[in-house]
Amino acid sequence: LLGSFRERTDDARRAEDALLFIHDQKSAVRMQSVIDGLVSLTDSLDRYRLGLSASQIPASLDALRSAAREEYEHAAAGRSTVAELISQQRTRPAIASVDSALGASATTLRNSTRQRVADATNETLNAERLVAGALPIALLLALAIGIWLMRSISRPVYELERGMHAIAEGDLRYQLALAPNSATEFGRLAASYQKMASQLADLERLRAEFVGVASHELKTPINVIIGYLELLQEGIYGALTPKQKEILYTIGKQANGLTRLVKRLLDISRFEASGGKLEVRRVDLQRLLKTLESSFSVLAMQRDIAFSVEHGVGLPSKVYWDEDRINEVLGNLVSNAFKFTPRGGRVALSVAPVDGNVVITVADTGAGISSEQLPHIFDKFYQADNQAQAASKGTGLGLAIAKEIVDAHAGQTTVESVVGEGTTFVVTLPTDAPGVKRRPEPTPPEHAPEAEDGG
Ligand SMILES: Nc1ncnc2c1ncn2[C@@H]1O[C@H](COP(=O)(O)OP(=O)(O)OP(=O)(O)O)[C@@H](O)[C@H]1O
Ligand SMILES: [Mg+2]
């Protein structure tokens, strides 16, 4: 705008020269149009509110308009001296006054622009400072929100996942570290989880009780059948034909198999129905091992198998276990070893203290188990495909019972095996098992482990 003002004042100077020296109609019109142009530019300039200096321009333009008109009249009338005088004293000073007002306006404009730039720079700096100060606060806030989210969402989800995993693994007594309540979604989920776990535990107990009752009820009729079979085989009810003897032998074998199954089912259901509770009491480890050794030594002789029991140095004389249940575990492991080891083989039981635990190893030189089947042998009713090498039939429950009992003692059971070379079971038991300690004094075990042969 200021640039075009300057052009117009230059135009005004040229128009004034034409007015003075040519003074025709055209030069008068041209001067008028230059002044009109300057007036309309002044209106535009007003809008910028440049203060006093700009407001002088209209007055100077008015003076210019009347001086130019008079100058033209005199010049046109041939009074060139008067016209020149007007030009020097009024017209040109008026143009110069417009110019100087413009110069002042330009300075004002430049100063105010400079001021605005400085203001804007200051504001930008302030904003930068504000952002720099706010950034750490925002980061801290984000961190706090992150931690809060983790605590309030991730942790309950993780806890629920652990609970579900525990239930899937069969641990129905797993307690969630998450309070059940009806106020939050996770509280309600925790409540549902607890309800589900307790219903499953009830079902599991009922199932174990049912198996227990059913197998108990089966015991009596099977014993009666076996009793009469024996009487028949002894010829008490008359002489038997060879065919009848053969049939009775088969019936006898099946009935014995049933007895074994019923005994195993009773063992497992009793333990499970009690919720896997142990009757932990002080156990004389040496005596327990002696009893075990003598129960199996007869079988070892009959089967021509070298059986050794090794007591490691530093074994604690007393441990706290459920003696009957541990007898069951060791009985099952040693029975298996004898069952799958051929004549002339070896079965070795060794017991040693390791890191405050008692480590029991049962190793044999028997049939072995293939690596694909090894992970399944602790499953109920699972039997590997080495049954042809077994000395007697089984039910596939012995190891499942053994593992449950060892787990209840907070112990571990592991196994290694090579087909055709042998199998080694390792049971690690803490010297002091968790459980209800009822009787501090050791009492003789309910029954020594049976050296099962079956046959
Ligand atoms: N010492 C071993 N040598 C070779 N195979 C073994 C040995 N111990 C266990 N097994 C394999 O693991 C399977 C499961 O053993 P488990 O003791 O549970 O059942 P079982 O001996 O067949 O029957 P039960 O013990 O109930 O009378 C066995 O059938 C056998 O295939
Ligand atoms: Mg067995």
mmCIF file of all heavy atoms in Angstrom, residues 364-382:
data_model
loop_
_atom_site.group_PDB
_atom_site.id
_atom_site.type_symbol
_atom_site.label_atom_id
_atom_site.label_comp_id
_atom_site.label_asym_id
_atom_site.label_seq_id
_atom_site.Cartn_x
_atom_site.Cartn_y
_atom_site.Cartn_z
ATOM 1 N N ASP A 364 16.131 -100.076 37.566
ATOM 2 C CA ASP A 364 16.083 -101.487 37.166
ATOM 3 C C ASP A 364 16.792 -101.671 35.834
ATOM 4 O O ASP A 364 17.109 -100.707 35.133
ATOM 5 C CB ASP A 364 14.635 -101.986 37.109
ATOM 6 C CG ASP A 364 13.816 -101.294 36.039
ATOM 7 O OD1 ASP A 364 14.244 -101.294 34.875
ATOM 8 O OD2 ASP A 364 12.723 -100.751 36.373
ATOM 9 N N THR A 365 17.046 -102.927 35.494
ATOM 10 C CA THR A 365 17.684 -103.250 34.202
ATOM 11 C C THR A 365 16.658 -103.960 33.317
ATOM 12 O O THR A 365 16.958 -104.942 32.666
ATOM 13 C CB THR A 365 18.912 -104.156 34.406
ATOM 14 O OG1 THR A 365 18.471 -105.333 35.101
ATOM 15 C CG2 THR A 365 19.977 -103.466 35.226
ATOM 16 N N GLY A 366 15.403 -103.427 33.368
ATOM 17 C CA GLY A 366 14.298 -104.105 32.697
ATOM 18 C C GLY A 366 13.995 -103.604 31.302
ATOM 19 O O GLY A 366 14.870 -103.078 30.596
ATOM 20 N N ALA A 367 12.714 -103.724 30.940
ATOM 21 C CA ALA A 367 12.261 -103.495 29.559
ATOM 22 C C ALA A 367 12.461 -102.064 29.071
ATOM 23 O O ALA A 367 12.706 -101.846 27.887
ATOM 24 C CB ALA A 367 10.781 -103.857 29.459
ATOM 25 N N GLY A 368 12.333 -101.108 29.985
ATOM 26 C CA GLY A 368 12.429 -99.700 29.580
ATOM 27 C C GLY A 368 11.137 -99.214 28.928
ATOM 28 O O GLY A 368 10.235 -100.012 28.601
ATOM 29 N N ILE A 369 11.047 -97.888 28.770
ATOM 30 C CA ILE A 369 9.837 -97.270 28.210
ATOM 31 C C ILE A 369 10.275 -96.338 27.093
ATOM 32 O O ILE A 369 11.256 -95.591 27.264
ATOM 33 C CB ILE A 369 9.088 -96.462 29.292
ATOM 34 C CG1 ILE A 369 8.836 -97.333 30.520
ATOM 35 C CG2 ILE A 369 7.780 -95.880 28.764
ATOM 36 C CD1 ILE A 369 8.621 -96.565 31.790
ATOM 37 N N SER A 370 9.565 -96.322 25.972
ATOM 38 C CA SER A 370 9.974 -95.463 24.855
ATOM 39 C C SER A 370 9.764 -93.997 25.226
ATOM 40 O O SER A 370 8.880 -93.663 26.038
ATOM 41 C CB SER A 370 9.160 -95.806 23.605
ATOM 42 O OG SER A 370 7.849 -95.336 23.763
ATOM 43 N N SER A 371 10.583 -93.121 24.622
ATOM 44 C CA SER A 371 10.538 -91.706 25.018
ATOM 45 C C SER A 371 9.191 -91.061 24.678
ATOM 46 O O SER A 371 8.783 -90.097 25.316
ATOM 47 C CB SER A 371 11.683 -90.936 24.366
ATOM 48 O OG SER A 371 11.659 -91.166 22.980
ATOM 49 N N GLU A 372 8.478 -91.575 23.661
ATOM 50 C CA GLU A 372 7.157 -90.994 23.323
ATOM 51 C C GLU A 372 6.135 -91.334 24.396
ATOM 52 O O GLU A 372 5.211 -90.563 24.656
ATOM 53 C CB GLU A 372 6.608 -91.534 21.989
ATOM 54 C CG GLU A 372 7.491 -91.334 20.770
ATOM 55 C CD GLU A 372 8.469 -92.484 20.587
ATOM 56 O OE1 GLU A 372 8.013 -93.609 20.310
ATOM 57 O OE2 GLU A 372 9.680 -92.249 20.740
ATOM 58 N N GLN A 373 6.298 -92.510 25.020
ATOM 59 C CA GLN A 373 5.293 -92.937 26.000
ATOM 60 C C GLN A 373 5.628 -92.481 27.416
ATOM 61 O O GLN A 373 4.741 -92.397 28.260
ATOM 62 C CB GLN A 373 5.157 -94.461 25.945
ATOM 63 C CG GLN A 373 4.706 -94.911 24.565
ATOM 64 C CD GLN A 373 4.385 -96.375 24.491
ATOM 65 O OE1 GLN A 373 5.033 -97.190 25.134
ATOM 66 N NE2 GLN A 373 3.377 -96.718 23.714
ATOM 67 N N LEU A 374 6.929 -92.165 27.613
ATOM 68 C CA LEU A 374 7.384 -91.807 28.960
ATOM 69 C C LEU A 374 6.569 -90.679 29.623
ATOM 70 O O LEU A 374 6.219 -90.785 30.797
ATOM 71 C CB LEU A 374 8.870 -91.431 28.902
ATOM 72 C CG LEU A 374 9.660 -91.612 30.199
ATOM 73 C CD1 LEU A 374 9.565 -93.038 30.717
ATOM 74 C CD2 LEU A 374 11.113 -91.232 29.978
ATOM 75 N N PRO A 375 6.212 -89.615 28.876
ATOM 76 C CA PRO A 375 5.469 -88.524 29.546
ATOM 77 C C PRO A 375 4.076 -88.936 30.016
ATOM 78 O O PRO A 375 3.467 -88.235 30.810
ATOM 79 C CB PRO A 375 5.348 -87.453 28.458
ATOM 80 C CG PRO A 375 6.343 -87.811 27.416
ATOM 81 C CD PRO A 375 6.511 -89.275 27.474
ATOM 82 N N HIS A 376 3.543 -90.064 29.535
ATOM 83 C CA HIS A 376 2.153 -90.423 29.862
ATOM 84 C C HIS A 376 2.015 -91.442 30.984
ATOM 85 O O HIS A 376 0.899 -91.723 31.415
ATOM 86 C CB HIS A 376 1.464 -90.974 28.613
ATOM 87 C CG HIS A 376 1.539 -90.045 27.448
ATOM 88 N ND1 HIS A 376 0.855 -88.849 27.417
ATOM 89 C CD2 HIS A 376 2.252 -90.105 26.296
ATOM 90 C CE1 HIS A 376 1.136 -88.227 26.276
ATOM 91 N NE2 HIS A 376 1.992 -88.960 25.588
ATOM 92 N N ILE A 377 3.139 -92.013 31.428
ATOM 93 C CA ILE A 377 3.007 -93.159 32.332
ATOM 94 C C ILE A 377 2.425 -92.801 33.699
ATOM 95 O O ILE A 377 2.013 -93.677 34.432
ATOM 96 C CB ILE A 377 4.348 -93.909 32.522
ATOM 97 C CG1 ILE A 377 5.400 -92.963 33.082
ATOM 98 C CG2 ILE A 377 4.816 -94.531 31.217
ATOM 99 C CD1 ILE A 377 6.646 -93.684 33.544
ATOM 100 N N PHE A 378 2.369 -91.489 34.018
ATOM 101 C CA PHE A 378 1.771 -91.107 35.305
ATOM 102 C C PHE A 378 0.270 -90.849 35.162
ATOM 103 O O PHE A 378 -0.399 -90.533 36.134
ATOM 104 C CB PHE A 378 2.464 -89.870 35.877
ATOM 105 C CG PHE A 378 3.902 -90.118 36.248
ATOM 106 C CD1 PHE A 378 4.936 -89.707 35.429
ATOM 107 C CD2 PHE A 378 4.214 -90.814 37.413
ATOM 108 C CE1 PHE A 378 6.258 -89.947 35.754
ATOM 109 C CE2 PHE A 378 5.538 -91.065 37.760
ATOM 110 C CZ PHE A 378 6.560 -90.639 36.923
ATOM 111 N N ASP A 379 -0.248 -90.958 33.924
ATOM 112 C CA ASP A 379 -1.695 -90.774 33.717
ATOM 113 C C ASP A 379 -2.441 -92.016 34.206
ATOM 114 O O ASP A 379 -1.955 -93.146 34.041
ATOM 115 C CB ASP A 379 -2.016 -90.568 32.227
ATOM 116 C CG ASP A 379 -1.364 -89.299 31.693
ATOM 117 O OD1 ASP A 379 -0.900 -88.494 32.517
ATOM 118 O OD2 ASP A 379 -1.327 -89.150 30.454
ATOM 119 N N LYS A 380 -3.626 -91.769 34.756
ATOM 120 C CA LYS A 380 -4.418 -92.906 35.242
ATOM 121 C C LYS A 380 -4.743 -93.867 34.107
ATOM 122 O O LYS A 380 -5.136 -93.420 33.023
ATOM 123 C CB LYS A 380 -5.722 -92.405 35.870
ATOM 124 C CG LYS A 380 -5.508 -91.848 37.263
ATOM 125 C CD LYS A 380 -6.779 -91.258 37.814
ATOM 126 C CE LYS A 380 -6.442 -90.376 39.000
ATOM 127 N NZ LYS A 380 -7.495 -89.451 39.326
ATOM 128 N N PHE A 381 -4.603 -95.144 34.345
ATOM 129 C CA PHE A 381 -4.915 -96.247 33.421
ATOM 130 C C PHE A 381 -3.989 -96.320 32.203
ATOM 131 O O PHE A 381 -4.225 -97.119 31.314
ATOM 132 C CB PHE A 381 -6.388 -96.193 32.939
ATOM 133 C CG PHE A 381 -7.375 -96.313 34.062
ATOM 134 C CD1 PHE A 381 -8.126 -95.224 34.471
ATOM 135 C CD2 PHE A 381 -7.540 -97.523 34.732
ATOM 136 C CE1 PHE A 381 -9.020 -95.323 35.519
ATOM 137 C CE2 PHE A 381 -8.441 -97.631 35.783
ATOM 138 C CZ PHE A 381 -9.186 -96.529 36.186
ATOM 139 N N TYR A 382 -2.956 -95.473 32.175
ATOM 140 C CA TYR A 382 -2.069 -95.543 31.008
ATOM 141 C C TYR A 382 -1.044 -96.659 31.207
ATOM 142 O O TYR A 382 -0.416 -96.778 32.252
ATOM 143 C CB TYR A 382 -1.334 -94.210 30.800
ATOM 144 C CG TYR A 382 -0.504 -94.216 29.533
ATOM 145 C CD1 TYR A 382 -1.073 -93.838 28.328
ATOM 146 C CD2 TYR A 382 0.821 -94.653 29.553
ATOM 147 C CE1 TYR A 382 -0.324 -93.885 27.153
ATOM 148 C CE2 TYR A 382 1.576 -94.697 28.382
ATOM 149 C CZ TYR A 382 0.999 -94.311 27.184
ATOM 150 O OH TYR A 382 1.729 -94.357 26.032
#
